[in-house]
Amino acid sequence: MIRWLALFLWLLPVTASAQNVPKLVPDVSQRQIDIQSGFTGAEMLLFGAIIYPRGVVPEGRVDVAVVLRGPTRSITLREKQKIAGIWINADSSDFRSVPSYYAIASSRPLEQIVNSKTAAIYELGLDRLQLSPSGEVDAAEQRRFADGLVDLNRRNGLFRQEAGTVEITDQVLYRARLNIPSSVSVGVYTAETLLIRDGRVIVADDKVEVRIRKTGFEQLVTVMAKDYALFYGAMAVLVSLLLGWFAGFVFNRL
């Protein structure tokens, strides 16, 4: 009986603490984005509410970070060097877990709201992405390739980090807008919201999924190239020949 009483008294503060943790109610402006002919990109609105226990907003400031992450893929990054006036592939590095898209927006700069350990655990920021390099490569060399990969995706609009773009109203409602470029890959994307206070992540919610897919003619071409590669290749050659013949015919007529 004494042991059961001791266990109850030990669990009591833990249960009370869990009841005092806020809850997040996140959502996005659209759960599905269709890529069609003339697709120039899209803007995603991530918004939601913070529900506090008993409806009482605690004193002090809270921060919010939202992350939109695309499906991961393996990538081999090659470095080009100019030798004798010719650009050739030189060194390379393999990465096993590179998100096809990664965008993070926060209410303040990340270095002001979380420490480096917390940022590394939750992969908050472009410099905290865990890309899982493989192969026996020097650590400094891996870091150089990883920085190059991040910079390449950032310049292509596939990696984004925006500070101060999450708007918080009365410490209850929040919203942020993220741009999705036209070169984005298809697949299932995950939208994650993190509630931060005093440098710690209090709540992390990643239950919202966004599906990006191709439709119409783009989807037909994708299916043909993937599932009917031989037929797709033959048709591509035939169309090229016909276009070449037609161009020659028109040129001779002129």
Side-chain angles (χ1 to χ4, degrees):
M1 179 63 69
I2 295 178
R3 283 187 295 178
W4 283 107
L5 180 59
L7 179 62
F8 173 75
L9 293 176
W10 180 78
L11 290 175
L12 186 60
V14 177
T15 305
S17 176
Q19 293 177 348
N20 291 328
V21 176
K23 293 183 179 180
L24 289 172
V25 185
D27 206 348
V28 294
S29 56
Q30 47 187 331
R31 297 294 184 98
Q32 181 171 295
I33 298 176
D34 294 332
I35 298 178
Q36 300 176 341
S37 178
F39 177 75
T40 58
E43 185 181 65
M44 177 71 66
L45 174 65
L46 296 89
F47 61 95
I50 308 170
I51 300 179
Y52 296 94
R54 297 179 298 278
V56 178
V57 179
E59 296 182 358
R61 181 172 182 173
V62 295
D63 288 286
V64 172
V66 294
V67 179
L68 184 62
R69 184 191 301 265
T72 59
R73 56 185 176 176
S74 299
I75 285 182
T76 298
L77 184 66
R78 293 182 173 87
E79 182 181 36
K80 290 185 177 294
Q81 291 184 358
K82 191 173 184 180
I83 299 179
I86 301 176
W87 288 98
I88 62 173
N89 291 329
D91 297 335
S92 64
S93 182
D94 297 326
F95 298 90
R96 298 190 303 268
S97 182
V98 180
S100 55
Y101 177 85
Y102 176 91
I104 179 171
S106 55
S107 53
R108 288 190 293 164
L110 293 173
E111 61 272 12
Q112 296 181 13
I113 61 178
V114 293
N115 55 38
S116 58
K117 182 179 180 180
T118 302
I121 292 175
Y122 290 93
E123 295 186 68
L124 300 179
L126 298 181
D127 57 339
R128 301 296 179 180
L129 288 177
Q130 299 176 12
L131 305 177
S132 301
S134 61
E136 297 180 0
V137 184
D138 179 71
E141 193 72 2
Q142 282 186 344
R143 184 71 262 172
R144 186 173 69 87
F145 271 94
D147 292 341
L149 177 59
V150 170
D151 181 66
L152 178 64
N153 282 280
R154 183 184 57 79
R155 286 187 280 112
N156 290 332
L158 296 174
F159 284 3
R160 310 177 67 90
Q161 180 171 329
E162 301 175 0
T165 55
V166 177
E167 301 177 12
I168 304 177
T169 304
D170 298 329
Q171 299 198 82
V172 175
L173 303 177
Y174 67 88
R175 65 177 182 175
R177 299 181 184 274
L178 295 175
N179 292 320
I180 300 176
S182 58
S183 57
V184 71
S185 301
V186 299
V188 178
Y189 288 58
T190 302
E192 182 179 17
T193 303
L194 301 100
L195 182 63
I196 303 169
R197 178 188 287 275
D198 298 329
R200 298 187 301 109
V201 175
I202 302 175
V203 185
D205 192 304
D206 59 352
K207 298 178 182 178
V208 181
E209 292 185 347
V210 178
R211 183 177 298 274
I212 299 180
R213 64 173 189 173
K214 292 183 178 180
T215 59
F217 180 73
E218 285 74 15
Q219 175 65 10
L220 176 62
V221 172
T222 300
V223 172
M224 293 291 292
K226 182 178 179 180
D227 299 335
Y228 306 96
L230 182 61
F231 178 74
Y232 175 79
M235 288 298 297
V237 172
L238 179 60
V239 170
S240 299
L241 291 175
L242 290 176
L243 290 176
W245 173 83
F246 180 74
F249 175 78
V250 173
F251 181 78
N252 290 331
R253 287 292 181 177
L254 297 177

